[in-house]
Amino acid sequence: KHTESETKGVFFIEMDGKTLAEMTYSKAGNDRIIIDHTEVGAELRGTGAGKKMVDAAVEYAREKKISVIPLCSFARSVFDKTPAYKDVL
């Protein structure tokens, strides 16, 4: 799932009303977002949940025609390992 405000946003995975994983970002102007934090709860560790949220952020960036700055070390590692994401950097 995804929610956003004027200046921030979050991609998250929820089950039974409980947030099990989230990735937050800040908007930097109208043309980029900065992924600043990714957290995956113990229930979802090792399931690819973090990468799914990065995938969602990349799709969001492509739809909005904006770029992504992966400041968070987890998001940065996913971007480094995924050449297909270079178009949104």
Side-chain angles (χ1 to χ4, degrees), residues 13 18-23 37-50 53:
I13 298 172
K18 182 181 176 197
T19 300
L20 301 179
E22 70 177 13
M23 183 179 70
H37 181 72
T38 305
E39 188 169 336
V40 177
E43 305 95 332
L44 292 180
R45 283 214 182 97
T47 66
M53 292 186 295

Side-chain angles (χ1 to χ4, degrees), residues 8-64:
K8 297 188 175 291
V10 60
F11 290 92
F12 60 99
I13 298 172
E14 192 178 74
M15 196 178 301
D16 299 325
K18 182 181 176 197
T19 300
L20 301 179
E22 70 177 13
M23 183 179 70
T24 60
Y25 65 87
S26 298
K27 294 180 182 178
N30 294 321
D31 61 349
R32 71 180 63 111
I33 61 172
I34 301 168
I35 298 174
D36 49 31
H37 181 72
T38 305
E39 188 169 336
V40 177
E43 305 95 332
L44 292 180
R45 283 214 182 97
T47 66
K51 183 168 184 321
K52 287 177 187 160
M53 292 186 295
V54 175
D55 291 343
V58 169
E59 286 307 310
Y60 171 80
R62 288 175 176 154
E63 285 172 21
K64 300 282 188 183

Side-chain angles (χ1 to χ4, degrees), residues 7 19 31 35 42 51 67 76 81-82 89:
T7 59
T19 300
D31 61 349
I35 298 174
K51 183 168 184 321
S67 61
R76 166 53 60 197
K81 295 174 193 167
T82 314
L89 287 175

